[in-house]
Amino acid sequence: MSGVLLEVENYSGAFWSPTNELVPVLHQVSYRLKTGAMTAVVGETGSGKSLVALSIFGIQPAAFVCTSGRILYRDTDLLGIDEKEMRSLRGAEISMVFQDARAALNPVFTVGRQLADVYQLQHGGGRSAAMAKAIEALRQVSIPEPERRARQYPHEFSGGMAQRAMIAMAALTCRPSLLILDEPTTGLDVTIQSDIMELIVELSRQRGLTTCLITHDLGVVAEICDEVVVMNAGRVVETGTTEAIFTAPTETYTRRLLAASQLLEAAA
Amino acid sequence: MSFVNMSVGDAILQVRDLHKIFPVEGGRRLVAVDGVDLDVAAGETLALVGESGSGKSTVARCIVRLIEPSGGEVTIDGTAIVPLPTKRLAGIYRRIQMVFQDPNASLNPRMNVRQVLDEPLRLHLALSGAERAGRVRELVEMVGLTPAHLERYPHELSGGQRQRVGIARAIAVSPDIVILDEPTSSLDVSVRGQILGLLLDLQQRLGLAYLFISHDLQVVQHVADRVAVMYLGSIVETGPVADVFRDPRHPYTRALLSAAPVAQWGVKRTRVRLAGEIASAIDPPDACRLVGRCPMAQPSCSAGKPSLIDLGQAHAVACPVVVDRPT
């Protein structure tokens, strides 16, 4: 599998309904994340884009059942390993950034403490060395006054600053090969969103990360992604390079999604 | 405060020197809205854009008196809404209505669609039961729903359908102007297009004026005639949408427009960057609110808050620096 870091292969799954029936939600989902590339997984609410991402990270909801398929990371099937093995991959190999960073961070610990804890867990060493690394990571994501910020709690951070801290934790304190970002800028103001996306691109390039960006914002995709996976209603509709998806989409759904994003009349 | 006549034709809604100050602990003052002037002409759409904390939603809420303004005047077709005794407000709501961002939170979960739409008719119009029932049926069809939806409760509707109900409720009493507070920002892009299409269609059919509050610049460009850009409680630039988007003058407008990505292949943006994040609105100094973030700041920017300066063609900007140094 040279050139491919992760491959989702015929991944299908269902949710248990309240009446104890299995309701299928993912249908033979297949896509590849090329090593070193930035791949966007786009789709609207209910497309299943986040559910696949959560599955890669091994944190799919308890009511979800995988009914077929594999998720190959390097040569390991992530669906076939136990929680202990998965935990050894999280952070070290695969990291994830969530939509609402202030909700994803623990409200009762300072931001610096949380980064330092993750550092110690991943790399060992003493507390003060870990805190120094945490402050350094905050500095690298352009958080002003990182020493003071490290002593603050998540609620004292703005949404944009909290997302920077989250990215510092996921991409710098951890040293993953694969970074998954689930709607990292949704809910942020447009100027802040642009700053955060620039930071993500810069860090990904610097560290040679393979990045998977889950988003509904095709503007961001057009600007920064190399590859695109279009999902709708639990299925992969189309995959291709960003240029191909934007300039020569083959599927009706892709064309409709593009038209809606550009506020054009649907060219179906 | 310099007065800039921003509207074309007669203003149906006029806002003058609107202020909203929230007291905060320690006797300090949070200045959410700091002297806003707006005019909306009959049948036109004025977009009010800005980021979180700019005060755009507070302006909307002050206009309809959901929160009490601290000062200023609001008139609708010459009749004052601000100031006006609260008990006389009911008559005003026949003229001005509002659609909220989150149709989930703005519809009563215990009322079905029929009850939601009947309520404003009962409150504001002297109609018989049969007339109201007829009007309710007419309304659901106007917003693209069917009479079958009348018996449904909000939780039985999709997000887009709920927003259609919110729109039907707003137009029920045939207002002159509807304030739309981020009406599509909680919707998927395909639904967003449908709701915008509906709003444009209703505007044409009913001659409605809209005050369209949004942070989505693409949507604003699509639906609005004129735009007013807010930053920290004040309007920093206003003008026809085509002019402001083609030739933004205020450094904040430039930063905002240049930050929005375009969903097309091969579009290159040159960003205008501001330093840091939005400043605090608590006890702001008497200076341009962008001082400290602005790449063009001069010493004079700290000597008093600039007023809007008329650039002609209904375009105005609150920045003497860019006016003195034309591009």
Side-chain angles (χ1 to χ4, degrees):
Chain A
M1 286 218 316
S2 79
V4 175
L5 185 65
L6 182 127
E7 178 163 14
V8 180
E9 210 180 71
N10 295 320
Y11 186 46
S12 299
F15 274 113
W16 283 112
S17 75
T19 51
N20 270 340
E21 283 164 284
L22 277 175
V23 183
V25 289
L26 293 179
H27 310 275
Q28 305 279 314
V29 172
S30 298
Y31 62 76
R32 292 169 165 196
L33 302 180
K34 288 188 189 160
T35 308
M38 189 172 267
T39 304
V41 181
V42 302
E44 297 185 282
T45 310
S47 63
K49 59 189 191 300
S50 286
L51 193 52
V52 178
L54 295 175
S55 303
I56 296 171
F57 206 53
I59 51 169
Q60 57 274 43
F64 178 78
V65 189
C66 163
T67 51
S68 78
R70 298 193 298 173
I71 298 179
L72 291 173
Y73 176 80
R74 300 193 198 273
D75 288 319
T76 310
D77 180 4
L78 298 180
L79 299 174
I81 60 176
D82 62 21
E83 178 55 28
K84 188 162 166 267
E85 290 170 282
M86 190 69 224
R87 202 174 287 174
S88 71
L89 292 177
R90 272 189 216 120
E93 292 285 340
I94 306 173
S95 245
M96 189 153 176
V97 169
F98 299 91
Q99 176 175 340
D100 185 349
R102 275 182 294 194
L105 291 165
N106 190 327
V108 300
F109 294 111
T110 64
V111 170
R113 163 88 189 268
Q114 294 182 59
L115 265 76
D117 280 352
V118 170
Y119 185 86
Q120 270 190 303
L121 189 70
Q122 292 291 331
H123 312 289
R127 283 222 59 77
S128 58
M131 186 55 86
K133 290 287 185 186
I135 291 167
E136 184 48 35
L138 293 176
R139 189 190 319 278
Q140 282 181 49
V141 294
S142 305
I143 291 182
E145 304 179 77
E147 290 87 357
R148 186 174 69 84
R149 286 303 204 152
R151 291 192 298 271
Q152 290 185 327
Y153 291 87
H155 77 268
E156 298 174 87
F157 277 57
S158 67
M161 283 299 155
Q163 195 57 286
R164 283 178 188 274
M166 195 75 214
I167 290 165
M169 184 189 288
L172 299 173
T173 308
C174 300
R175 308 254 173 77
S177 301
L178 172 61
L179 180 63
I180 303 169
L181 304 131
D182 190 1
E183 304 269 9
T185 59
T186 305
L188 297 178
D189 276 323
V190 54
T191 53
I192 308 296
Q193 171 180 321
S194 236
D195 293 343
I196 296 284
M197 287 319 306
E198 282 174 10
L199 173 69
I200 289 167
V201 170
E202 188 191 309
L203 285 180
S204 300
R205 289 217 181 108
Q206 237 175 48
R207 310 228 146 208
L209 293 175
T210 302
T211 313
C212 177
L213 177 69
I214 318 290
T215 185
H216 66 272
D217 186 341
L218 291 181
V220 166
V221 174
E223 251 172 28
I224 68 168
C225 292
D226 307 304
E227 305 272 329
V228 184
V229 176
V230 183
M231 286 188 70
N232 180 37
R235 290 185 168 82
V236 172
V237 174
E238 186 168 1
T239 60
T241 63
T242 307
E243 183 174 5
I245 293 288
F246 276 83
T247 58
T250 58
E251 295 298 320
T252 308
Y253 178 78
T254 310
R255 285 201 291 270
R256 275 181 24 220
L257 190 67
L258 280 167
S261 296
Q262 295 159 355
L263 284 172
L264 304 169
E265 293 303 314
Chain B
M1 161 94 10
S2 86
F3 169 70
V4 176
N5 185 12
M6 293 174 283
S7 84
V8 275
D10 293 326
I12 190 87
L13 175 73
Q14 214 173 55
V15 177
R16 288 290 171 272
D17 204 20
L18 188 71
H19 282 81
K20 178 63 196 179
I21 295 160
F22 294 98
V24 286
E25 57 190 57
R28 295 178 303 163
R29 296 156 17 111
L30 189 153
V31 183
V33 179
D34 191 14
V36 163
D37 293 351
L38 292 173
D39 289 279
V40 185
E44 79 159 347
T45 300
L46 172 67
L48 192 56
V49 306
E51 298 184 285
S52 319
S54 63
K56 57 192 191 301
S57 287
T58 308
V59 167
R61 283 158 191 266
C62 283
I63 290 172
V64 293
R65 300 274 297 265
L66 278 175
I67 50 180
E68 277 304 300
S70 311
E73 287 168 33
V74 177
T75 57
I76 180 141
D77 209 8
T79 312
I81 311 183
V82 177
L84 183 75
T86 317
K87 61 183 169 199
R88 287 180 47 208
L89 275 174
I92 290 298
Y93 292 136
R94 269 209 61 185
R95 316 294 304 277
I96 186 162
Q97 284 284 319
M98 189 153 170
V99 174
F100 298 88
Q101 174 174 351
D102 182 358
N104 225 351
S106 59
L107 296 174
N108 186 332
R110 290 164 184 265
M111 285 166 86
N112 65 23
V113 174
R114 181 193 303 283
Q115 292 166 316
V116 167
L117 299 182
D118 187 55
E119 191 173 41
L121 302 177
R122 257 189 309 113
L123 287 173
H124 298 297
L125 305 178
L127 297 176
S128 69
E131 285 169 327
R132 292 205 314 269
R135 176 70 176 156
V136 165
R137 274 194 303 279
E138 186 184 28
L139 284 167
V140 281
E141 277 166 16
M142 281 169 86
V143 297
L145 298 172
T146 66
H149 289 107
L150 286 173
E151 309 312 321
R152 304 236 181 115
Y153 286 83
H155 76 270
E156 299 174 291
L157 301 172
S158 69
Q161 289 171 334
R162 278 186 218 131
Q163 199 55 298
R164 286 175 192 270
V165 174
I167 292 166
R169 176 176 62 182
I171 62 170
V173 296
S174 307
D176 301 310
I177 177 166
V178 178
I179 298 182
L180 304 156
D181 190 1
E182 304 267 12
T184 59
S185 60
S186 61
L187 304 173
D188 270 325
V189 283
S190 58
V191 183
R192 177 184 75 171
Q194 292 163 12
I195 296 293
L196 292 175
L198 172 67
L199 289 170
L200 290 172
D201 174 54
L202 289 172
Q203 180 169 45
Q204 285 218 315
R205 283 163 66 190
L206 307 173
L208 289 168
Y210 290 143
L211 177 59
F212 195 104
I213 317 265
S214 183
H215 69 275
D216 187 334
L217 298 165
Q218 198 191 3
V219 165
V220 165
Q221 204 171 4
H222 187 67
V223 302
D225 301 303
R226 292 185 305 118
V227 59
V229 181
M230 275 191 87
Y231 181 76
L232 266 181
S234 301
I235 291 174
V236 296
E237 182 158 4
T238 177
V241 162
D243 295 347
V244 172
F245 276 74
R246 191 189 61 241
D247 182 23
R249 301 297 299 275
H250 199 280
Y252 178 71
T253 314
R254 290 182 184 181
L256 188 67
L257 293 182
S258 73
V262 184
Q264 277 168 29
W265 175 253
V267 176
K268 289 272 176 281
R269 290 184 291 139
T270 311
R271 281 193 67 191
V272 174
R273 284 163 208 282
L274 300 174
E277 295 193 341
I278 191 166
S280 167
I282 296 173
D283 288 339
D286 184 25
C288 174
R289 298 285 182 266
L290 208 57
V291 162
R293 300 188 68 192
C294 181
M296 300 179 71
Q298 303 291 317
S300 60
C301 299
S302 302
K305 192 184 141 201
S307 308
L308 284 168
I309 301 161
D310 196 349
L311 302 169
Q313 270 84 47
H315 194 164
V317 62
C319 178
V321 176
V322 296
V323 173
D324 293 343
R325 197 174 4 162
T327 44

mmCIF file with all atom_site columns, all heavy atoms in Angstrom, chain B residues 300-316:
data_model
loop_
_atom_site.group_PDB
_atom_site.id
_atom_site.type_symbol
_atom_site.label_atom_id
_atom_site.label_alt_id
_atom_site.label_comp_id
_atom_site.label_asym_id
_atom_site.label_entity_id
_atom_site.label_seq_id
_atom_site.pdbx_PDB_ins_code
_atom_site.Cartn_x
_atom_site.Cartn_y
_atom_site.Cartn_z
_atom_site.occupancy
_atom_site.B_iso_or_equiv
_atom_site.pdbx_formal_charge
_atom_site.auth_seq_id
_atom_site.auth_comp_id
_atom_site.auth_asym_id
_atom_site.auth_atom_id
_atom_site.pdbx_PDB_model_num
ATOM 1   N N   . SER B 1 300 ? -3.727  59.794 14.750 1.00 0.00 ? 300 SER B N   1
ATOM 2   C CA  . SER B 1 300 ? -5.009  60.495 14.841 1.00 0.00 ? 300 SER B CA  1
ATOM 3   C C   . SER B 1 300 ? -6.183  59.534 15.107 1.00 0.00 ? 300 SER B C   1
ATOM 4   O O   . SER B 1 300 ? -7.251  59.948 15.560 1.00 0.00 ? 300 SER B O   1
ATOM 5   C CB  . SER B 1 300 ? -5.262  61.256 13.535 1.00 0.00 ? 300 SER B CB  1
ATOM 6   O OG  . SER B 1 300 ? -5.287  60.340 12.448 1.00 0.00 ? 300 SER B OG  1
ATOM 7   N N   . CYS B 1 301 ? -5.975  58.236 14.834 1.00 0.00 ? 301 CYS B N   1
ATOM 8   C CA  . CYS B 1 301 ? -7.057  57.267 15.023 1.00 0.00 ? 301 CYS B CA  1
ATOM 9   C C   . CYS B 1 301 ? -7.430  57.110 16.501 1.00 0.00 ? 301 CYS B C   1
ATOM 10  O O   . CYS B 1 301 ? -8.509  56.623 16.833 1.00 0.00 ? 301 CYS B O   1
ATOM 11  C CB  . CYS B 1 301 ? -6.671  55.910 14.454 1.00 0.00 ? 301 CYS B CB  1
ATOM 12  S SG  . CYS B 1 301 ? -6.348  55.934 12.692 1.00 0.00 ? 301 CYS B SG  1
ATOM 13  N N   . SER B 1 302 ? -6.502  57.496 17.400 1.00 0.00 ? 302 SER B N   1
ATOM 14  C CA  . SER B 1 302 ? -6.781  57.371 18.826 1.00 0.00 ? 302 SER B CA  1
ATOM 15  C C   . SER B 1 302 ? -7.436  58.629 19.381 1.00 0.00 ? 302 SER B C   1
ATOM 16  O O   . SER B 1 302 ? -7.784  58.678 20.555 1.00 0.00 ? 302 SER B O   1
ATOM 17  C CB  . SER B 1 302 ? -5.478  57.103 19.587 1.00 0.00 ? 302 SER B CB  1
ATOM 18  O OG  . SER B 1 302 ? -4.876  55.935 19.074 1.00 0.00 ? 302 SER B OG  1
ATOM 19  N N   . ALA B 1 303 ? -7.620  59.636 18.534 1.00 0.00 ? 303 ALA B N   1
ATOM 20  C CA  . ALA B 1 303 ? -8.181  60.902 18.999 1.00 0.00 ? 303 ALA B CA  1
ATOM 21  C C   . ALA B 1 303 ? -9.642  61.030 18.588 1.00 0.00 ? 303 ALA B C   1
ATOM 22  O O   . ALA B 1 303 ? -9.993  61.845 17.747 1.00 0.00 ? 303 ALA B O   1
ATOM 23  C CB  . ALA B 1 303 ? -7.350  62.062 18.439 1.00 0.00 ? 303 ALA B CB  1
ATOM 24  N N   . GLY B 1 304 ? -10.487 60.186 19.140 1.00 0.00 ? 304 GLY B N   1
ATOM 25  C CA  . GLY B 1 304 ? -11.914 60.293 18.857 1.00 0.00 ? 304 GLY B CA  1
ATOM 26  C C   . GLY B 1 304 ? -12.377 59.236 17.876 1.00 0.00 ? 304 GLY B C   1
ATOM 27  O O   . GLY B 1 304 ? -11.645 58.807 16.983 1.00 0.00 ? 304 GLY B O   1
ATOM 28  N N   . LYS B 1 305 ? -13.643 58.803 18.096 1.00 0.00 ? 305 LYS B N   1
ATOM 29  C CA  . LYS B 1 305 ? -14.207 57.758 17.240 1.00 0.00 ? 305 LYS B CA  1
ATOM 30  C C   . LYS B 1 305 ? -14.686 58.370 15.931 1.00 0.00 ? 305 LYS B C   1
ATOM 31  O O   . LYS B 1 305 ? -15.466 59.315 15.943 1.00 0.00 ? 305 LYS B O   1
ATOM 32  C CB  . LYS B 1 305 ? -15.378 57.122 17.990 1.00 0.00 ? 305 LYS B CB  1
ATOM 33  C CG  . LYS B 1 305 ? -15.889 55.847 17.370 1.00 0.00 ? 305 LYS B CG  1
ATOM 34  C CD  . LYS B 1 305 ? -17.098 55.345 18.130 1.00 0.00 ? 305 LYS B CD  1
ATOM 35  C CE  . LYS B 1 305 ? -18.094 54.807 17.146 1.00 0.00 ? 305 LYS B CE  1
ATOM 36  N NZ  . LYS B 1 305 ? -19.440 54.742 17.668 1.00 0.00 ? 305 LYS B NZ  1
ATOM 37  N N   . PRO B 1 306 ? -14.211 57.873 14.782 1.00 0.00 ? 306 PRO B N   1
ATOM 38  C CA  . PRO B 1 306 ? -14.599 58.489 13.510 1.00 0.00 ? 306 PRO B CA  1
ATOM 39  C C   . PRO B 1 306 ? -16.061 58.245 13.150 1.00 0.00 ? 306 PRO B C   1
ATOM 40  O O   . PRO B 1 306 ? -16.616 57.189 13.446 1.00 0.00 ? 306 PRO B O   1
ATOM 41  C CB  . PRO B 1 306 ? -13.674 57.824 12.486 1.00 0.00 ? 306 PRO B CB  1
ATOM 42  C CG  . PRO B 1 306 ? -13.110 56.628 13.139 1.00 0.00 ? 306 PRO B CG  1
ATOM 43  C CD  . PRO B 1 306 ? -13.275 56.767 14.616 1.00 0.00 ? 306 PRO B CD  1
ATOM 44  N N   . SER B 1 307 ? -16.683 59.245 12.530 1.00 0.00 ? 307 SER B N   1
ATOM 45  C CA  . SER B 1 307 ? -18.047 59.109 12.023 1.00 0.00 ? 307 SER B CA  1
ATOM 46  C C   . SER B 1 307 ? -17.989 58.642 10.576 1.00 0.00 ? 307 SER B C   1
ATOM 47  O O   . SER B 1 307 ? -16.930 58.671 9.949  1.00 0.00 ? 307 SER B O   1
ATOM 48  C CB  . SER B 1 307 ? -18.767 60.447 12.074 1.00 0.00 ? 307 SER B CB  1
ATOM 49  O OG  . SER B 1 307 ? -18.663 61.001 13.360 1.00 0.00 ? 307 SER B OG  1
ATOM 50  N N   . LEU B 1 308 ? -19.157 58.257 10.072 1.00 0.00 ? 308 LEU B N   1
ATOM 51  C CA  . LEU B 1 308 ? -19.217 57.854 8.667  1.00 0.00 ? 308 LEU B CA  1
ATOM 52  C C   . LEU B 1 308 ? -18.962 59.062 7.770  1.00 0.00 ? 308 LEU B C   1
ATOM 53  O O   . LEU B 1 308 ? -19.500 60.144 8.000  1.00 0.00 ? 308 LEU B O   1
ATOM 54  C CB  . LEU B 1 308 ? -20.583 57.245 8.349  1.00 0.00 ? 308 LEU B CB  1
ATOM 55  C CG  . LEU B 1 308 ? -20.814 55.821 8.861  1.00 0.00 ? 308 LEU B CG  1
ATOM 56  C CD1 . LEU B 1 308 ? -22.287 55.447 8.738  1.00 0.00 ? 308 LEU B CD1 1
ATOM 57  C CD2 . LEU B 1 308 ? -19.944 54.818 8.112  1.00 0.00 ? 308 LEU B CD2 1
ATOM 58  N N   . ILE B 1 309 ? -18.134 58.852 6.742  1.00 0.00 ? 309 ILE B N   1
ATOM 59  C CA  . ILE B 1 309 ? -17.825 59.911 5.789  1.00 0.00 ? 309 ILE B CA  1
ATOM 60  C C   . ILE B 1 309 ? -18.412 59.507 4.440  1.00 0.00 ? 309 ILE B C   1
ATOM 61  O O   . ILE B 1 309 ? -18.157 58.400 3.960  1.00 0.00 ? 309 ILE B O   1
ATOM 62  C CB  . ILE B 1 309 ? -16.297 60.087 5.659  1.00 0.00 ? 309 ILE B CB  1
ATOM 63  C CG1 . ILE B 1 309 ? -15.703 60.430 7.036  1.00 0.00 ? 309 ILE B CG1 1
ATOM 64  C CG2 . ILE B 1 309 ? -15.950 61.151 4.622  1.00 0.00 ? 309 ILE B CG2 1
ATOM 65  C CD1 . ILE B 1 309 ? -14.216 60.188 7.142  1.00 0.00 ? 309 ILE B CD1 1
ATOM 66  N N   . ASP B 1 310 ? -19.171 60.414 3.856  1.00 0.00 ? 310 ASP B N   1
ATOM 67  C CA  . ASP B 1 310 ? -19.856 60.102 2.602  1.00 0.00 ? 310 ASP B CA  1
ATOM 68  C C   . ASP B 1 310 ? -18.860 60.057 1.438  1.00 0.00 ? 310 ASP B C   1
ATOM 69  O O   . ASP B 1 310 ? -18.078 60.979 1.245  1.00 0.00 ? 310 ASP B O   1
ATOM 70  C CB  . ASP B 1 310 ? -20.903 61.201 2.339  1.00 0.00 ? 310 ASP B CB  1
ATOM 71  C CG  . ASP B 1 310 ? -21.910 60.752 1.294  1.00 0.00 ? 310 ASP B CG  1
ATOM 72  O OD1 . ASP B 1 310 ? -21.674 59.718 0.643  1.00 0.00 ? 310 ASP B OD1 1
ATOM 73  O OD2 . ASP B 1 310 ? -22.920 61.450 1.136  1.00 0.00 ? 310 ASP B OD2 1
ATOM 74  N N   . LEU B 1 311 ? -18.888 58.960 0.700  1.00 0.00 ? 311 LEU B N   1
ATOM 75  C CA  . LEU B 1 311 ? -18.010 58.831 -0.462 1.00 0.00 ? 311 LEU B CA  1
ATOM 76  C C   . LEU B 1 311 ? -18.772 59.038 -1.767 1.00 0.00 ? 311 LEU B C   1
ATOM 77  O O   . LEU B 1 311 ? -18.223 58.886 -2.845 1.00 0.00 ? 311 LEU B O   1
ATOM 78  C CB  . LEU B 1 311 ? -17.371 57.431 -0.496 1.00 0.00 ? 311 LEU B CB  1
ATOM 79  C CG  . LEU B 1 311 ? -16.545 56.999 0.707  1.00 0.00 ? 311 LEU B CG  1
ATOM 80  C CD1 . LEU B 1 311 ? -16.222 55.521 0.615  1.00 0.00 ? 311 LEU B CD1 1
ATOM 81  C CD2 . LEU B 1 311 ? -15.272 57.818 0.803  1.00 0.00 ? 311 LEU B CD2 1
ATOM 82  N N   . GLY B 1 312 ? -20.067 59.359 -1.649 1.00 0.00 ? 312 GLY B N   1
ATOM 83  C CA  . GLY B 1 312 ? -20.908 59.468 -2.849 1.00 0.00 ? 312 GLY B CA  1
ATOM 84  C C   . GLY B 1 312 ? -21.495 58.124 -3.223 1.00 0.00 ? 312 GLY B C   1
ATOM 85  O O   . GLY B 1 312 ? -21.060 57.081 -2.740 1.00 0.00 ? 312 GLY B O   1
ATOM 86  N N   . GLN B 1 313 ? -22.505 58.132 -4.072 1.00 0.00 ? 313 GLN B N   1
ATOM 87  C CA  . GLN B 1 313 ? -23.214 56.918 -4.475 1.00 0.00 ? 313 GLN B CA  1
ATOM 88  C C   . GLN B 1 313 ? -23.663 56.082 -3.277 1.00 0.00 ? 313 GLN B C   1
ATOM 89  O O   . GLN B 1 313 ? -23.577 54.854 -3.307 1.00 0.00 ? 313 GLN B O   1
ATOM 90  C CB  . GLN B 1 313 ? -22.357 56.044 -5.412 1.00 0.00 ? 313 GLN B CB  1
ATOM 91  C CG  . GLN B 1 313 ? -22.541 56.357 -6.888 1.00 0.00 ? 313 GLN B CG  1
ATOM 92  C CD  . GLN B 1 313 ? -21.669 57.520 -7.302 1.00 0.00 ? 313 GLN B CD  1
ATOM 93  O OE1 . GLN B 1 313 ? -20.498 57.562 -6.979 1.00 0.00 ? 313 GLN B OE1 1
ATOM 94  N NE2 . GLN B 1 313 ? -22.256 58.485 -7.990 1.00 0.00 ? 313 GLN B NE2 1
ATOM 95  N N   . ALA B 1 314 ? -24.081 56.768 -2.203 1.00 0.00 ? 314 ALA B N   1
ATOM 96  C CA  . ALA B 1 314 ? -24.612 56.106 -1.014 1.00 0.00 ? 314 ALA B CA  1
ATOM 97  C C   . ALA B 1 314 ? -23.601 55.230 -0.299 1.00 0.00 ? 314 ALA B C   1
ATOM 98  O O   . ALA B 1 314 ? -23.943 54.417 0.541  1.00 0.00 ? 314 ALA B O   1
ATOM 99  C CB  . ALA B 1 314 ? -25.858 55.286 -1.370 1.00 0.00 ? 314 ALA B CB  1
ATOM 100 N N   . HIS B 1 315 ? -22.326 55.375 -0.641 1.00 0.00 ? 315 HIS B N   1
ATOM 101 C CA  . HIS B 1 315 ? -21.258 54.603 0.001  1.00 0.00 ? 315 HIS B CA  1
ATOM 102 C C   . HIS B 1 315 ? -20.618 55.498 1.070  1.00 0.00 ? 315 HIS B C   1
ATOM 103 O O   . HIS B 1 315 ? -20.276 56.643 0.784  1.00 0.00 ? 315 HIS B O   1
ATOM 104 C CB  . HIS B 1 315 ? -20.241 54.206 -1.076 1.00 0.00 ? 315 HIS B CB  1
ATOM 105 C CG  . HIS B 1 315 ? -19.262 53.153 -0.659 1.00 0.00 ? 315 HIS B CG  1
ATOM 106 N ND1 . HIS B 1 315 ? -18.501 52.452 -1.564 1.00 0.00 ? 315 HIS B ND1 1
ATOM 107 C CD2 . HIS B 1 315 ? -18.913 52.654 0.541  1.00 0.00 ? 315 HIS B CD2 1
ATOM 108 C CE1 . HIS B 1 315 ? -17.728 51.581 -0.939 1.00 0.00 ? 315 HIS B CE1 1
ATOM 109 N NE2 . HIS B 1 315 ? -17.961 51.698 0.348  1.00 0.00 ? 315 HIS B NE2 1
ATOM 110 N N   . ALA B 1 316 ? -20.492 54.984 2.282  1.00 0.00 ? 316 ALA B N   1
ATOM 111 C CA  . ALA B 1 316 ? -19.895 55.776 3.356  1.00 0.00 ? 316 ALA B CA  1
ATOM 112 C C   . ALA B 1 316 ? -18.979 54.902 4.190  1.00 0.00 ? 316 ALA B C   1
ATOM 113 O O   . ALA B 1 316 ? -19.216 53.705 4.348  1.00 0.00 ? 316 ALA B O   1
ATOM 114 C CB  . ALA B 1 316 ? -20.986 56.392 4.238  1.00 0.00 ? 316 ALA B CB  1
#
